[in-house]
Amino acid sequence: MVKITSENIVDLIQDIFERRGAESYLGEQVTMSQHMLQAAQCAEEAGADHTQIVAALLHDIGHYKNEIPESSLSNGVNNYHEEVGANFLEEYFPASVVEPIRQHVEAKRYLCAVRPEYFMRLSPASINTLNLQGGPMNEKEIREFEKNDYLEQCVNLRYWDEKAKDPERKCASFSYYRPLIESLVKN
Ligand SMILES: [Fe+2]
């Protein structure tokens, strides 16, 4: 497998989108790339900054675990997709992109505990995975999560994640976002 560098990271990401994007997104009515592109579009429509748009676009990249070189997998504390994605990206993107990605499953557990209206937004597949992911947070977990420097970004990303499952929604292609991603790559 090729060695990732700040020069080829965006090509690698684009290649994953192009070759694997048409795969279905577990139990949802959209493909993986539709889901991630729609999440980015929701961020953009909400007036979010570039880091949040790119975080939304790349939040589920860790589902493509077998596309990611071993070297970035080995940093992981587990094989969960949010950790895989964040560990893959952390060397090349700022924490404001990476941390909301790392926390996007915890953010679901958090929001289910603190905002009852959020739970109503979950798709059946998302409710199903919530149970596997530990269910809503308890009080202690909520307090810990709220210490997060990126709390607001994590919460925003999670709302866009739930919204980005509309089979009818039209959105831009990956290449539309490419310059944005490139602008955030660390040297
Ligand atoms: Fe997602």
Side-chain angles (χ1 to χ4, degrees):
M1 217 176 240
V2 278
K3 187 180 178 311
I4 333 172
T5 64
S6 52
E7 251 81 84
N8 67 12
I9 181 80
V10 185
D11 289 336
L12 190 74
I13 292 169
Q14 180 160 1
D15 183 55
I16 295 174
F17 264 79
E18 284 171 357
R19 282 187 301 105
R20 309 282 310 272
E23 291 174 17
S24 65
Y25 177 38
L26 304 163
E28 305 289 357
Q29 307 226 307
V30 288
T31 65
M32 283 300 295
S33 63
Q34 276 177 314
H35 173 60
M36 297 201 283
L37 290 163
Q38 285 185 19
Q41 187 180 49
C42 292
E44 200 174 5
E45 285 174 1
D49 68 18
H50 291 177
T51 59
Q52 291 193 83
I53 296 170
V54 171
L57 181 67
L58 304 182
H59 79 276
D60 273 339
I61 199 90
H63 279 302
Y64 301 107
K65 182 170 174 277
N66 59 355
E67 300 284 344
I68 295 173
E70 295 278 331
S71 55
S72 30
L73 290 177
S74 59
N75 310 327
V77 292
N78 59 39
N79 281 336
Y80 297 152
H81 80 278
E82 68 280 16
E83 280 287 343
V84 170
N87 291 339
F88 167 52
L89 299 170
E90 69 182 345
E91 226 177 290
Y92 308 99
F93 293 92
S96 50
V97 171
V98 175
E99 291 313 312
I101 293 176
R102 192 188 308 283
Q103 306 285 337
H104 82 271
V105 170
E106 288 298 276
K108 174 163 87 169
R109 299 186 57 230
Y110 171 73
L111 285 170
C112 285
V114 301
R115 295 191 194 171
E117 54 80 28
Y118 169 80
F119 181 80
M120 307 303 293
R121 295 165 186 256
L122 296 183
S123 62
S126 199
I127 293 175
N128 198 23
T129 50
L130 171 68
N131 296 327
L132 300 171
Q133 289 156 346
M137 284 184 171
N138 61 34
E139 282 300 321
K140 188 167 168 260
E141 290 170 320
I142 292 169
R143 278 197 304 277
E144 269 310 301
F145 192 73
E146 287 177 343
K147 292 181 190 159
N148 190 331
D149 288 340
Y150 298 98
L151 181 63
E152 192 189 330
Q153 289 91 327
C154 293
V155 166
N156 288 342
L157 174 55
R158 196 61 228 190
Y159 274 93
W160 300 326
D161 192 352
E162 296 318 323
K163 219 171 151 187
K165 297 174 181 178
D166 177 357
E168 304 302 325
R169 188 179 178 124
K170 296 269 169 289
C171 53
S173 65
F174 181 88
S175 42
Y176 169 77
Y177 293 103
R178 187 175 165 122
L180 259 196
I181 308 174
E182 280 171 342
S183 73
L184 293 173
V185 175
K186 297 191 284 189
N187 288 312

